[in-house]
Amino acid sequence: MNIADAPVLTLADLAAWSRPGTALAVLGHPIKHSLSPRMHNAALAELARTDTRFATWQYVRFEIHPDDLPRALDLLHAKKFRGVNLTVPHKIIAFDRVAEIDPAARPVGAVNTLRWTERGWHGFNTDGYGLAAAVRETLGLDLTGAPIVLLGAGGAARGAAVECLQRRCASLWVANRTRETLDTLLAIIGPIASDVPFHGFSPATPPTDLPAGAIVINATSAGLRPEDPMPIDLAALPRPVAVFDMIYNPPQTGLLRAAADRGLPHANGLAMLVHQGAKSLEHWSGIPAGQTAPTMAAAARAARGLT
Ligand code: NDP
């Protein structure tokens, strides 16, 4: 298969699906720009070189409207797709349609990975793992024991906050433009924070007792477009140890430029995308994520025109 040209399939294609072999799929709306098919098919091709089990595995993409998600998930299960990835806007909708949920994914309230079981779908969320692995790989830092300043309170921020708390960060400071969304996030993480101190604040007025040496993580979508405002003014914070932006397209957001100007270590979200993907494949294949991540990274970088 020409990985670069994997076609965008529809619900009708799924209803008519009769391809032999082991199938995996990503569902999104829109799905055209997803790098997941290239990453996964590159990893599967590499695995198939030494393990014939993977010779018949394929990863395809479906454009599915949110209204059609329940039917699509039923069809994928009936046709015995081994695994499914979910991207915007399906992660939260799918959470209510799984038969079993990974305990680590429950507080997030969203799933990005489903594994076929006789009883129905087993749901996981690998975004938090992807974040932790990416921060370690790109910045050489651990979430465990670190003060964290998390920007955003949407779906990605929720996953990041849960991961930081489950890994026992030193403290968690969440900034969000809209107070209501922030309060919802704080209410969700309260029960799992244990004795880790957590706080919410407006990015326009950072509190004076923010710790120095924090890892700043951008989980807002501010920075996707050139005209977007900065999610926070780095000059208004005590000097962080590093800045991680979940956005990878564009590769350098205004926030990362500001970090570079201040001489701070910084990284974009491409490695996070890679590691969440490798963890999904581990759930389906049993192959450790660390084994497939380098191939996925090379495929993602090639797809983005990087070498
Ligand atoms: P949501 O729509 O759920 O949340 C968006 C968040 O961004 C909210 O907190 C929102 O604040 C904030 N926001 C949006 N626009 C602005 C703005 N102009 N100024 C300040 N804040 C703003 O999106 P997700 O949580 O799903 O995704 C967030 C980002 O993370 C996206 O850019 C996505 O691409 C990226 N991501 C990357 C991944 C990776 O693997 N690298 C994985 C998952 C996500 P408010 O509540 O005030 O509206």
PDB file of all heavy atoms in Angstrom, residues 151-152 177 218-232 244-258 268-269 304:
ATOM      1  N   LEU A 151      -1.767  25.325  30.735  1.00  0.00           N
ATOM      2  CA  LEU A 151      -2.596  26.339  30.076  1.00  0.00           C
ATOM      3  C   LEU A 151      -3.724  25.637  29.331  1.00  0.00           C
ATOM      4  O   LEU A 151      -3.463  24.798  28.461  1.00  0.00           O
ATOM      5  CB  LEU A 151      -1.747  27.153  29.095  1.00  0.00           C
ATOM      6  CG  LEU A 151      -0.416  27.687  29.639  1.00  0.00           C
ATOM      7  CD1 LEU A 151       0.358  28.429  28.547  1.00  0.00           C
ATOM      8  CD2 LEU A 151      -0.666  28.597  30.841  1.00  0.00           C
ATOM      9  N   GLY A 152      -4.980  25.955  29.689  1.00  0.00           N
ATOM     10  CA  GLY A 152      -6.125  25.358  29.014  1.00  0.00           C
ATOM     11  C   GLY A 152      -6.932  24.486  29.955  1.00  0.00           C
ATOM     12  O   GLY A 152      -6.424  24.022  30.995  1.00  0.00           O
ATOM     13  N   ARG A 177      -8.761  30.957  30.141  1.00  0.00           N
ATOM     14  CA  ARG A 177      -9.449  32.198  29.788  1.00  0.00           C
ATOM     15  C   ARG A 177     -10.868  32.226  30.358  1.00  0.00           C
ATOM     16  O   ARG A 177     -11.288  33.207  30.943  1.00  0.00           O
ATOM     17  CB  ARG A 177      -9.432  32.220  28.245  1.00  0.00           C
ATOM     18  CG  ARG A 177     -10.229  33.204  27.551  1.00  0.00           C
ATOM     19  CD  ARG A 177     -10.024  33.009  26.060  1.00  0.00           C
ATOM     20  NE  ARG A 177     -10.767  31.845  25.535  1.00  0.00           N
ATOM     21  CZ  ARG A 177     -11.052  31.664  24.275  1.00  0.00           C
ATOM     22  NH1 ARG A 177     -10.642  32.531  23.377  1.00  0.00           N
ATOM     23  NH2 ARG A 177     -11.724  30.612  23.871  1.00  0.00           N
ATOM     24  N   ASN A 218       1.345  24.039  27.229  1.00  0.00           N
ATOM     25  CA  ASN A 218       0.200  24.658  26.554  1.00  0.00           C
ATOM     26  C   ASN A 218      -0.732  23.593  26.019  1.00  0.00           C
ATOM     27  O   ASN A 218      -0.381  22.844  25.109  1.00  0.00           O
ATOM     28  CB  ASN A 218       0.644  25.551  25.394  1.00  0.00           C
ATOM     29  CG  ASN A 218      -0.577  26.179  24.716  1.00  0.00           C
ATOM     30  OD1 ASN A 218      -1.572  26.492  25.391  1.00  0.00           O
ATOM     31  ND2 ASN A 218      -0.517  26.344  23.408  1.00  0.00           N
ATOM     32  N   ALA A 219      -1.946  23.531  26.579  1.00  0.00           N
ATOM     33  CA  ALA A 219      -2.991  22.625  26.084  1.00  0.00           C
ATOM     34  C   ALA A 219      -4.184  23.437  25.582  1.00  0.00           C
ATOM     35  O   ALA A 219      -5.289  22.919  25.511  1.00  0.00           O
ATOM     36  CB  ALA A 219      -3.417  21.652  27.175  1.00  0.00           C
ATOM     37  N   THR A 220      -3.946  24.719  25.248  1.00  0.00           N
ATOM     38  CA  THR A 220      -5.002  25.481  24.568  1.00  0.00           C
ATOM     39  C   THR A 220      -4.783  25.337  23.071  1.00  0.00           C
ATOM     40  O   THR A 220      -3.725  24.894  22.616  1.00  0.00           O
ATOM     41  CB  THR A 220      -4.979  26.983  24.923  1.00  0.00           C
ATOM     42  OG1 THR A 220      -3.909  27.616  24.205  1.00  0.00           O
ATOM     43  CG2 THR A 220      -4.822  27.223  26.415  1.00  0.00           C
ATOM     44  N   SER A 221      -5.791  25.757  22.308  1.00  0.00           N
ATOM     45  CA  SER A 221      -5.594  25.779  20.859  1.00  0.00           C
ATOM     46  C   SER A 221      -5.114  27.141  20.390  1.00  0.00           C
ATOM     47  O   SER A 221      -5.043  27.375  19.178  1.00  0.00           O
ATOM     48  CB  SER A 221      -6.888  25.342  20.146  1.00  0.00           C
ATOM     49  OG  SER A 221      -8.013  25.867  20.795  1.00  0.00           O
ATOM     50  N   ALA A 222      -4.790  28.033  21.321  1.00  0.00           N
ATOM     51  CA  ALA A 222      -4.248  29.348  20.951  1.00  0.00           C
ATOM     52  C   ALA A 222      -2.825  29.163  20.435  1.00  0.00           C
ATOM     53  O   ALA A 222      -1.938  28.721  21.179  1.00  0.00           O
ATOM     54  CB  ALA A 222      -4.259  30.283  22.159  1.00  0.00           C
ATOM     55  N   GLY A 223      -2.632  29.467  19.147  1.00  0.00           N
ATOM     56  CA  GLY A 223      -1.334  29.240  18.507  1.00  0.00           C
ATOM     57  C   GLY A 223      -1.488  28.432  17.237  1.00  0.00           C
ATOM     58  O   GLY A 223      -0.566  28.352  16.425  1.00  0.00           O
ATOM     59  N   LEU A 224      -2.685  27.837  17.057  1.00  0.00           N
ATOM     60  CA  LEU A 224      -2.927  27.082  15.827  1.00  0.00           C
ATOM     61  C   LEU A 224      -2.924  28.022  14.624  1.00  0.00           C
ATOM     62  O   LEU A 224      -2.452  27.670  13.546  1.00  0.00           O
ATOM     63  CB  LEU A 224      -4.285  26.368  15.893  1.00  0.00           C
ATOM     64  CG  LEU A 224      -4.363  25.094  16.738  1.00  0.00           C
ATOM     65  CD1 LEU A 224      -5.798  24.590  16.802  1.00  0.00           C
ATOM     66  CD2 LEU A 224      -3.448  24.004  16.180  1.00  0.00           C
ATOM     67  N   ARG A 225      -3.458  29.251  14.820  1.00  0.00           N
ATOM     68  CA  ARG A 225      -3.521  30.229  13.720  1.00  0.00           C
ATOM     69  C   ARG A 225      -2.584  31.391  14.024  1.00  0.00           C
ATOM     70  O   ARG A 225      -2.424  31.764  15.192  1.00  0.00           O
ATOM     71  CB  ARG A 225      -4.952  30.737  13.566  1.00  0.00           C
ATOM     72  CG  ARG A 225      -5.925  29.649  13.133  1.00  0.00           C
ATOM     73  CD  ARG A 225      -7.352  30.106  13.322  1.00  0.00           C
ATOM     74  NE  ARG A 225      -7.562  30.596  14.677  1.00  0.00           N
ATOM     75  CZ  ARG A 225      -8.673  31.173  15.104  1.00  0.00           C
ATOM     76  NH1 ARG A 225      -9.679  31.332  14.295  1.00  0.00           N
ATOM     77  NH2 ARG A 225      -8.786  31.594  16.353  1.00  0.00           N
ATOM     78  N   PRO A 226      -1.978  31.964  12.962  1.00  0.00           N
ATOM     79  CA  PRO A 226      -0.998  33.044  13.180  1.00  0.00           C
ATOM     80  C   PRO A 226      -1.584  34.215  13.957  1.00  0.00           C
ATOM     81  O   PRO A 226      -0.868  34.885  14.704  1.00  0.00           O
ATOM     82  CB  PRO A 226      -0.601  33.469  11.769  1.00  0.00           C
ATOM     83  CG  PRO A 226      -1.154  32.478  10.827  1.00  0.00           C
ATOM     84  CD  PRO A 226      -2.159  31.632  11.531  1.00  0.00           C
ATOM     85  N   GLU A 227      -2.893  34.476  13.799  1.00  0.00           N
ATOM     86  CA  GLU A 227      -3.497  35.648  14.446  1.00  0.00           C
ATOM     87  C   GLU A 227      -3.902  35.382  15.899  1.00  0.00           C
ATOM     88  O   GLU A 227      -4.387  36.280  16.587  1.00  0.00           O
ATOM     89  CB  GLU A 227      -4.713  36.146  13.642  1.00  0.00           C
ATOM     90  CG  GLU A 227      -5.913  35.210  13.602  1.00  0.00           C
ATOM     91  CD  GLU A 227      -5.857  34.179  12.466  1.00  0.00           C
ATOM     92  OE1 GLU A 227      -4.744  33.877  11.976  1.00  0.00           O
ATOM     93  OE2 GLU A 227      -6.924  33.662  12.095  1.00  0.00           O
ATOM     94  N   ASP A 228      -3.702  34.147  16.392  1.00  0.00           N
ATOM     95  CA  ASP A 228      -4.127  33.818  17.762  1.00  0.00           C
ATOM     96  C   ASP A 228      -3.337  34.619  18.801  1.00  0.00           C
ATOM     97  O   ASP A 228      -2.144  34.885  18.610  1.00  0.00           O
ATOM     98  CB  ASP A 228      -3.909  32.329  18.056  1.00  0.00           C
ATOM     99  CG  ASP A 228      -4.973  31.458  17.416  1.00  0.00           C
ATOM    100  OD1 ASP A 228      -6.001  32.011  16.965  1.00  0.00           O
ATOM    101  OD2 ASP A 228      -4.773  30.233  17.359  1.00  0.00           O
ATOM    102  N   PRO A 229      -3.991  34.954  19.925  1.00  0.00           N
ATOM    103  CA  PRO A 229      -3.246  35.597  21.013  1.00  0.00           C
ATOM    104  C   PRO A 229      -2.345  34.579  21.704  1.00  0.00           C
ATOM    105  O   PRO A 229      -2.519  33.364  21.549  1.00  0.00           O
ATOM    106  CB  PRO A 229      -4.356  36.054  21.969  1.00  0.00           C
ATOM    107  CG  PRO A 229      -5.470  35.088  21.723  1.00  0.00           C
ATOM    108  CD  PRO A 229      -5.393  34.698  20.280  1.00  0.00           C
ATOM    109  N   MET A 230      -1.383  35.057  22.469  1.00  0.00           N
ATOM    110  CA  MET A 230      -0.552  34.156  23.278  1.00  0.00           C
ATOM    111  C   MET A 230      -1.418  33.567  24.400  1.00  0.00           C
ATOM    112  O   MET A 230      -2.219  34.300  24.998  1.00  0.00           O
ATOM    113  CB  MET A 230       0.579  34.945  23.931  1.00  0.00           C
ATOM    114  CG  MET A 230       1.554  35.524  22.950  1.00  0.00           C
ATOM    115  SD  MET A 230       2.691  34.267  22.396  1.00  0.00           S
ATOM    116  CE  MET A 230       4.001  34.551  23.556  1.00  0.00           C
ATOM    117  N   PRO A 231      -1.269  32.290  24.724  1.00  0.00           N
ATOM    118  CA  PRO A 231      -2.085  31.736  25.818  1.00  0.00           C
ATOM    119  C   PRO A 231      -1.693  32.311  27.179  1.00  0.00           C
ATOM    120  O   PRO A 231      -2.497  32.309  28.108  1.00  0.00           O
ATOM    121  CB  PRO A 231      -1.809  30.232  25.751  1.00  0.00           C
ATOM    122  CG  PRO A 231      -0.542  30.092  24.981  1.00  0.00           C
ATOM    123  CD  PRO A 231      -0.438  31.273  24.073  1.00  0.00           C
ATOM    124  N   ILE A 232      -0.448  32.810  27.282  1.00  0.00           N
ATOM    125  CA  ILE A 232      -0.004  33.500  28.510  1.00  0.00           C
ATOM    126  C   ILE A 232       1.243  34.317  28.165  1.00  0.00           C
ATOM    127  O   ILE A 232       1.944  33.994  27.183  1.00  0.00           O
ATOM    128  CB  ILE A 232       0.300  32.484  29.651  1.00  0.00           C
ATOM    129  CG1 ILE A 232       0.176  33.163  31.018  1.00  0.00           C
ATOM    130  CG2 ILE A 232       1.684  31.854  29.488  1.00  0.00           C
ATOM    131  CD1 ILE A 232      -0.055  32.203  32.159  1.00  0.00           C
ATOM    132  N   PHE A 244       6.447  23.392  26.987  1.00  0.00           N
ATOM    133  CA  PHE A 244       6.000  22.358  26.040  1.00  0.00           C
ATOM    134  C   PHE A 244       4.677  22.802  25.445  1.00  0.00           C
ATOM    135  O   PHE A 244       3.741  23.129  26.180  1.00  0.00           O
ATOM    136  CB  PHE A 244       5.827  21.009  26.760  1.00  0.00           C
ATOM    137  CG  PHE A 244       5.486  19.881  25.825  1.00  0.00           C
ATOM    138  CD1 PHE A 244       6.478  19.159  25.187  1.00  0.00           C
ATOM    139  CD2 PHE A 244       4.159  19.556  25.561  1.00  0.00           C
ATOM    140  CE1 PHE A 244       6.171  18.129  24.302  1.00  0.00           C
ATOM    141  CE2 PHE A 244       3.837  18.529  24.674  1.00  0.00           C
ATOM    142  CZ  PHE A 244       4.844  17.811  24.050  1.00  0.00           C
ATOM    143  N   ASP A 245       4.584  22.823  24.125  1.00  0.00           N
ATOM    144  CA  ASP A 245       3.341  23.203  23.455  1.00  0.00           C
ATOM    145  C   ASP A 245       2.776  21.967  22.750  1.00  0.00           C
ATOM    146  O   ASP A 245       3.456  21.362  21.920  1.00  0.00           O
ATOM    147  CB  ASP A 245       3.621  24.318  22.430  1.00  0.00           C
ATOM    148  CG  ASP A 245       2.351  25.065  22.055  1.00  0.00           C
ATOM    149  OD1 ASP A 245       1.274  24.430  22.014  1.00  0.00           O
ATOM    150  OD2 ASP A 245       2.435  26.283  21.807  1.00  0.00           O
ATOM    151  N   MET A 246       1.535  21.593  23.079  1.00  0.00           N
ATOM    152  CA  MET A 246       0.942  20.404  22.440  1.00  0.00           C
ATOM    153  C   MET A 246       0.714  20.598  20.944  1.00  0.00           C
ATOM    154  O   MET A 246       0.596  19.630  20.196  1.00  0.00           O
ATOM    155  CB  MET A 246      -0.402  20.075  23.095  1.00  0.00           C
ATOM    156  CG  MET A 246      -0.293  19.515  24.486  1.00  0.00           C
ATOM    157  SD  MET A 246      -1.894  18.824  24.951  1.00  0.00           S
ATOM    158  CE  MET A 246      -1.594  18.528  26.693  1.00  0.00           C
ATOM    159  N   ILE A 247       0.656  21.860  20.510  1.00  0.00           N
ATOM    160  CA  ILE A 247       0.462  22.129  19.079  1.00  0.00           C
ATOM    161  C   ILE A 247       1.732  21.739  18.313  1.00  0.00           C
ATOM    162  O   ILE A 247       2.838  22.030  18.767  1.00  0.00           O
ATOM    163  CB  ILE A 247       0.142  23.626  18.867  1.00  0.00           C
ATOM    164  CG1 ILE A 247      -1.206  23.964  19.529  1.00  0.00           C
ATOM    165  CG2 ILE A 247       0.137  23.990  17.379  1.00  0.00           C
ATOM    166  CD1 ILE A 247      -1.548  25.445  19.518  1.00  0.00           C
ATOM    167  N   TYR A 248       1.557  21.040  17.171  1.00  0.00           N
ATOM    168  CA  TYR A 248       2.738  20.711  16.355  1.00  0.00           C
ATOM    169  C   TYR A 248       2.625  21.292  14.944  1.00  0.00           C
ATOM    170  O   TYR A 248       3.572  21.223  14.174  1.00  0.00           O
ATOM    171  CB  TYR A 248       2.975  19.196  16.295  1.00  0.00           C
ATOM    172  CG  TYR A 248       1.798  18.400  15.806  1.00  0.00           C
ATOM    173  CD1 TYR A 248       1.574  18.210  14.450  1.00  0.00           C
ATOM    174  CD2 TYR A 248       0.902  17.852  16.710  1.00  0.00           C
ATOM    175  CE1 TYR A 248       0.498  17.488  13.998  1.00  0.00           C
ATOM    176  CE2 TYR A 248      -0.192  17.132  16.265  1.00  0.00           C
ATOM    177  CZ  TYR A 248      -0.384  16.950  14.917  1.00  0.00           C
ATOM    178  OH  TYR A 248      -1.477  16.240  14.474  1.00  0.00           O
ATOM    179  N   ASN A 249       1.464  21.849  14.615  1.00  0.00           N
ATOM    180  CA  ASN A 249       1.284  22.482  13.315  1.00  0.00           C
ATOM    181  C   ASN A 249       0.550  23.804  13.512  1.00  0.00           C
ATOM    182  O   ASN A 249      -0.631  23.788  13.758  1.00  0.00           O
ATOM    183  CB  ASN A 249       0.486  21.561  12.379  1.00  0.00           C
ATOM    184  CG  ASN A 249       0.394  22.127  10.975  1.00  0.00           C
ATOM    185  OD1 ASN A 249       1.188  22.988  10.601  1.00  0.00           O
ATOM    186  ND2 ASN A 249      -0.574  21.667  10.202  1.00  0.00           N
ATOM    187  N   PRO A 250       1.248  24.948  13.505  1.00  0.00           N
ATOM    188  CA  PRO A 250       2.633  25.168  13.072  1.00  0.00           C
ATOM    189  C   PRO A 250       3.651  24.603  14.079  1.00  0.00           C
ATOM    190  O   PRO A 250       3.340  24.498  15.263  1.00  0.00           O
ATOM    191  CB  PRO A 250       2.738  26.691  13.018  1.00  0.00           C
ATOM    192  CG  PRO A 250       1.748  27.167  14.034  1.00  0.00           C
ATOM    193  CD  PRO A 250       0.605  26.201  13.966  1.00  0.00           C
ATOM    194  N   PRO A 251       4.864  24.282  13.579  1.00  0.00           N
ATOM    195  CA  PRO A 251       5.875  23.700  14.461  1.00  0.00           C
ATOM    196  C   PRO A 251       6.385  24.674  15.515  1.00  0.00           C
ATOM    197  O   PRO A 251       6.853  24.246  16.563  1.00  0.00           O
ATOM    198  CB  PRO A 251       7.002  23.276  13.514  1.00  0.00           C
ATOM    199  CG  PRO A 251       6.752  23.984  12.229  1.00  0.00           C
ATOM    200  CD  PRO A 251       5.287  24.309  12.162  1.00  0.00           C
ATOM    201  N   GLN A 252       6.320  25.969  15.229  1.00  0.00           N
ATOM    202  CA  GLN A 252       6.736  26.922  16.261  1.00  0.00           C
ATOM    203  C   GLN A 252       5.634  27.963  16.481  1.00  0.00           C
ATOM    204  O   GLN A 252       5.395  28.832  15.644  1.00  0.00           O
ATOM    205  CB  GLN A 252       8.057  27.616  15.925  1.00  0.00           C
ATOM    206  CG  GLN A 252       8.656  28.228  17.182  1.00  0.00           C
ATOM    207  CD  GLN A 252       9.970  28.927  16.954  1.00  0.00           C
ATOM    208  OE1 GLN A 252      10.188  29.522  15.916  1.00  0.00           O
ATOM    209  NE2 GLN A 252      10.852  28.882  17.946  1.00  0.00           N
ATOM    210  N   THR A 253       4.961  27.867  17.597  1.00  0.00           N
ATOM    211  CA  THR A 253       3.905  28.820  17.946  1.00  0.00           C
ATOM    212  C   THR A 253       4.545  30.085  18.521  1.00  0.00           C
ATOM    213  O   THR A 253       5.744  30.109  18.825  1.00  0.00           O
ATOM    214  CB  THR A 253       2.989  28.211  19.013  1.00  0.00           C
ATOM    215  OG1 THR A 253       3.805  27.865  20.134  1.00  0.00           O
ATOM    216  CG2 THR A 253       2.269  26.964  18.500  1.00  0.00           C
ATOM    217  N   GLY A 254       3.715  31.103  18.716  1.00  0.00           N
ATOM    218  CA  GLY A 254       4.201  32.328  19.356  1.00  0.00           C
ATOM    219  C   GLY A 254       4.754  32.036  20.738  1.00  0.00           C
ATOM    220  O   GLY A 254       5.770  32.623  21.157  1.00  0.00           O
ATOM    221  N   LEU A 255       4.102  31.107  21.463  1.00  0.00           N
ATOM    222  CA  LEU A 255       4.573  30.760  22.809  1.00  0.00           C
ATOM    223  C   LEU A 255       5.976  30.146  22.751  1.00  0.00           C
ATOM    224  O   LEU A 255       6.849  30.482  23.572  1.00  0.00           O
ATOM    225  CB  LEU A 255       3.597  29.764  23.467  1.00  0.00           C
ATOM    226  CG  LEU A 255       3.948  29.369  24.899  1.00  0.00           C
ATOM    227  CD1 LEU A 255       3.720  30.530  25.861  1.00  0.00           C
ATOM    228  CD2 LEU A 255       3.134  28.145  25.345  1.00  0.00           C
ATOM    229  N   LEU A 256       6.215  29.270  21.767  1.00  0.00           N
ATOM    230  CA  LEU A 256       7.545  28.646  21.659  1.00  0.00           C
ATOM    231  C   LEU A 256       8.593  29.667  21.212  1.00  0.00           C
ATOM    232  O   LEU A 256       9.744  29.605  21.651  1.00  0.00           O
ATOM    233  CB  LEU A 256       7.496  27.444  20.705  1.00  0.00           C
ATOM    234  CG  LEU A 256       6.683  26.242  21.210  1.00  0.00           C
ATOM    235  CD1 LEU A 256       6.813  25.056  20.249  1.00  0.00           C
ATOM    236  CD2 LEU A 256       7.106  25.812  22.616  1.00  0.00           C
ATOM    237  N   ARG A 257       8.176  30.618  20.371  1.00  0.00           N
ATOM    238  CA  ARG A 257       9.113  31.688  19.984  1.00  0.00           C
ATOM    239  C   ARG A 257       9.494  32.515  21.210  1.00  0.00           C
ATOM    240  O   ARG A 257      10.650  32.860  21.416  1.00  0.00           O
ATOM    241  CB  ARG A 257       8.488  32.591  18.922  1.00  0.00           C
ATOM    242  CG  ARG A 257       8.844  32.163  17.497  1.00  0.00           C
ATOM    243  CD  ARG A 257       8.516  33.247  16.479  1.00  0.00           C
ATOM    244  NE  ARG A 257       7.121  33.655  16.532  1.00  0.00           N
ATOM    245  CZ  ARG A 257       6.135  32.978  15.954  1.00  0.00           C
ATOM    246  NH1 ARG A 257       6.404  31.874  15.275  1.00  0.00           N
ATOM    247  NH2 ARG A 257       4.885  33.393  16.049  1.00  0.00           N
ATOM    248  N   ALA A 258       8.480  32.806  22.042  1.00  0.00           N
ATOM    249  CA  ALA A 258       8.754  33.592  23.255  1.00  0.00           C
ATOM    250  C   ALA A 258       9.683  32.812  24.193  1.00  0.00           C
ATOM    251  O   ALA A 258      10.580  33.394  24.822  1.00  0.00           O
ATOM    252  CB  ALA A 258       7.444  33.926  23.970  1.00  0.00           C
ATOM    253  N   ASN A 268       7.635  21.282  20.688  1.00  0.00           N
ATOM    254  CA  ASN A 268       6.249  21.240  20.221  1.00  0.00           C
ATOM    255  C   ASN A 268       5.651  19.839  20.418  1.00  0.00           C
ATOM    256  O   ASN A 268       6.300  18.942  20.944  1.00  0.00           O
ATOM    257  CB  ASN A 268       6.136  21.726  18.761  1.00  0.00           C
ATOM    258  CG  ASN A 268       6.725  20.729  17.766  1.00  0.00           C
ATOM    259  OD1 ASN A 268       6.769  19.528  17.998  1.00  0.00           O
ATOM    260  ND2 ASN A 268       7.181  21.251  16.638  1.00  0.00           N
ATOM    261  N   GLY A 269       4.394  19.654  19.982  1.00  0.00           N
ATOM    262  CA  GLY A 269       3.634  18.452  20.330  1.00  0.00           C
ATOM    263  C   GLY A 269       3.802  17.254  19.410  1.00  0.00           C
ATOM    264  O   GLY A 269       3.074  16.269  19.567  1.00  0.00           O
ATOM    265  N   ARG A 304       5.517  15.700   7.742  1.00  0.00           N
ATOM    266  CA  ARG A 304       5.523  17.146   8.020  1.00  0.00           C
ATOM    267  C   ARG A 304       6.617  17.861   7.226  1.00  0.00           C
ATOM    268  O   ARG A 304       6.876  19.041   7.443  1.00  0.00           O
ATOM    269  CB  ARG A 304       5.736  17.402   9.520  1.00  0.00           C
ATOM    270  CG  ARG A 304       4.683  16.835  10.436  1.00  0.00           C
ATOM    271  CD  ARG A 304       3.385  17.644  10.479  1.00  0.00           C
ATOM    272  NE  ARG A 304       3.630  19.022  10.819  1.00  0.00           N
ATOM    273  CZ  ARG A 304       3.270  20.071  10.062  1.00  0.00           C
ATOM    274  NH1 ARG A 304       2.632  19.882   8.946  1.00  0.00           N
ATOM    275  NH2 ARG A 304       3.538  21.283  10.435  1.00  0.00           N
TER     276      ARG A 304
END
